[in-house]
Amino acid sequence: MTEEKYMGLAIELAQRGCGRVNPNPMVGAVIVKDGAVIGQGWHEYYGGLHAERNAIANCSCDPRGAVMYVTLEPCCHYGKTPPCTQAIIESGIKKVVVGSFDPNPLVSGKGIETLQKAGVEVQTGCMTEECDRINEVFFHYIKNKIPFVVMKYAMTMDGKTATRTGASKWISGEQSRHNVHHSRHRYMGIMVGVGTVLADDPMLNCRLENGKDPIRIICDTKLKTPLNSKVINTAGQIQTIIATASNDEQRCEEYQKTGCKILKVKEKDGSVDLNQLMEELGELGIDSILLEGGSTLNYSALQAGIVNKIQVYIAPKLFGGANAKSPIGGLGVQLPEQAFKVKNMKITAIGEDFLLEGDL
């Protein structure tokens, strides 16, 4: 196998930690000796052993003199677990091939330097782009201290998210909806506006077998979320945050009694200040959000500049209707050159639908 094949295997292993390790990065490690893989591991869950230690623990023979391929620079500090550099040095591994540099100030080159000072050869630059891609959430969060926000919506080929009567179930096909639950598992939070709660009474959970429910975040400026709604009734089982600008303490207490967390932020243009909200959520350790809002919240999020990625499911349907809803509401831009630009586009066929993804 080539170096790329070994690192490719490490990337596959890293992705097994998807949705389980937030706000830590997904990391995979492969140990090779005499042309054979003798150990592999990945960061399995937040607070658990890191990939390097798992790979060393799973070795089928003595790793002395072996080469480790790891998707992210090994840590060199004490956190939930001891430094991985220490485990690598003690194992006798002679060389470490690193995919991504760790932007965490506690590591950021220090892990590589620690290994080199101990006599371990370090090689960088192997499939760096691919290794970076799997941890776009971690890199954003560690650098900016605010969540990585993915705006997701489904629409018809004529750009409608509902018919003229407001009916919207279902626009996308079953396979697309299943894929959305993978996103709900992957990202730490899911955010909607109170309008979505009032219109659809959604559960906002993950329906995959063994899937992880995201933290539910409701943008509710005036505290209009019904106390008998599904998100409130299940707040004791699934973590639920209501972001509000209301000072009605009695109303706040009613939500808190159900298990909701009330997050008070200032009001901006008649809605919760999304920039302040992102800072508050970042301080709570929420590294990523799947934004499944309606057209009003979507436009507000774009205006606030909090959106990092777009996911658009396009169904082979046409609704028509001059007043039928579109995914982005608000005032909109005045001129074409003022458009919110999307780059790094990727198109994936999912059943009869197409998923368009891009970075904002």
Side-chain angles (χ1 to χ4, degrees):
M1 291 176 71
T2 63
E3 285 190 340
E4 286 72 21
K5 289 287 182 65
Y6 292 129
M7 188 62 79
L9 174 57
I11 291 172
E12 290 178 14
L13 291 168
Q15 291 173 316
R16 295 187 187 183
C18 179
R20 304 290 183 190
V21 300
N22 307 63
N24 281 352
M26 292 183 280
V27 185
V30 173
I31 300 173
V32 179
K33 187 174 184 179
D34 299 327
V37 175
I38 63 167
Q40 19 185 329
W42 67 95
H43 186 26
E44 297 176 9
Y45 58 91
Y46 179 70
L49 292 178
H50 289 185
E52 300 93 324
R53 286 184 173 272
N54 278 328
I56 292 169
N58 292 329
C59 276
S60 58
C61 64
D62 190 343
R64 292 186 183 280
V67 178
M68 172 181 282
Y69 294 82
V70 62
T71 56
L72 184 70
E73 178 182 1
C75 66
C76 55
H77 65 286
Y78 282 86
K80 295 280 185 182
T81 59
C84 288
T85 50
Q86 176 186 334
I88 293 169
I89 293 165
E90 291 174 353
S91 74
I93 287 172
K94 69 173 184 180
K95 180 179 178 180
V96 176
V97 180
V98 175
S100 296
F101 287 97
D102 192 336
N104 187 339
L106 294 173
V107 184
S108 193
K110 300 184 186 74
I112 290 172
E113 183 181 351
T114 300
L115 292 173
Q116 290 173 329
K117 283 183 176 179
V120 179
E121 181 185 351
V122 179
Q123 177 185 328
T124 60
C126 182
M127 298 184 72
T128 298
E129 185 177 338
E130 292 84 350
C131 291
D132 286 353
R133 191 177 301 126
I134 63 172
N135 278 315
E136 60 182 359
V137 166
F138 171 73
F139 290 163
H140 173 84
Y141 180 68
I142 204 72
K143 291 175 183 176
N144 302 290
K145 308 301 182 187
I146 58 174
F148 183 90
V149 178
V150 180
M151 178 189 289
K152 165 261 160 186
Y153 55 84
M155 70 180 189
T156 61
M157 287 181 67
D158 58 341
K160 306 297 183 182
T161 57
T163 68
R164 60 183 174 83
T165 65
S168 60
K169 293 185 178 179
W170 294 104
I171 290 176
S172 56
E174 186 176 343
Q175 287 176 260
S176 291
R177 298 197 298 274
H178 182 75
N179 198 61
V180 169
H181 285 282
H182 280 281
S183 293
R184 290 185 179 186
H185 170 78
R186 176 182 182 182
Y187 300 114
M188 201 167 180
I190 183 169
M191 188 165 80
V192 300
V194 65
T196 296
V197 177
L198 292 171
D200 301 332
D201 192 20
M203 187 70 171
L204 302 178
N205 63 340
C206 177
R207 292 166 203 156
L208 298 178
E209 186 177 355
N210 298 319
K212 176 184 64 64
D213 289 322
I215 298 169
R216 302 178 299 194
I217 303 152
I218 316 298
C219 294
D220 186 358
T221 311
K222 305 295 184 183
L223 291 180
K224 295 180 180 179
T225 302
L227 290 169
N228 63 351
S229 61
K230 291 176 183 174
V231 288
I232 303 302
N233 284 335
T234 56
Q237 292 80 53
I238 303 174
Q239 190 173 347
T240 304
I241 296 171
I242 297 181
T244 184
S246 173
N247 290 316
D248 188 336
E249 295 299 332
Q250 185 176 348
R251 184 69 168 165
C252 287
E253 285 180 14
E254 291 178 323
Y255 292 110
Q256 290 169 327
K257 286 176 182 177
T258 69
C260 292
K261 178 179 178 63
I262 297 293
L263 206 56
K264 291 190 177 182
V265 295
K266 63 186 178 183
E267 188 172 332
K268 184 178 181 180
D269 299 326
S271 302
V272 296
D273 186 323
L274 293 176
N275 295 109
Q276 183 189 353
L277 176 58
M278 291 304 107
E279 292 175 4
E280 298 281 352
L281 295 174
E283 288 181 8
L284 292 175
I286 297 175
D287 69 351
S288 52
I289 292 171
L290 184 64
L291 177 60
E292 291 197 22
S295 62
T296 301
L297 181 57
N298 284 348
Y299 183 66
S300 295
L302 289 170
Q303 270 198 314
I306 67 168
V307 180
N308 303 103
K309 197 178 193 70
I310 308 284
Q311 290 184 340
V312 184
Y313 292 87
I314 300 180
K317 301 172 183 176
L318 303 169
F319 282 174
N323 296 319
K325 288 183 179 179
S326 63
I328 313 294
L331 185 62
V333 300
Q334 187 174 358
L335 299 170
E337 56 264 30
Q338 297 170 340
F340 300 97
K341 302 291 196 323
V342 182
K343 61 183 181 180
N344 302 327
M345 290 298 298
K346 176 185 175 184
I347 303 175
T348 308
I350 302 181
E352 293 184 341
D353 305 328
F354 283 97
L355 170 60
L356 271 65
E357 298 177 276
D359 302 321
L360 204 67

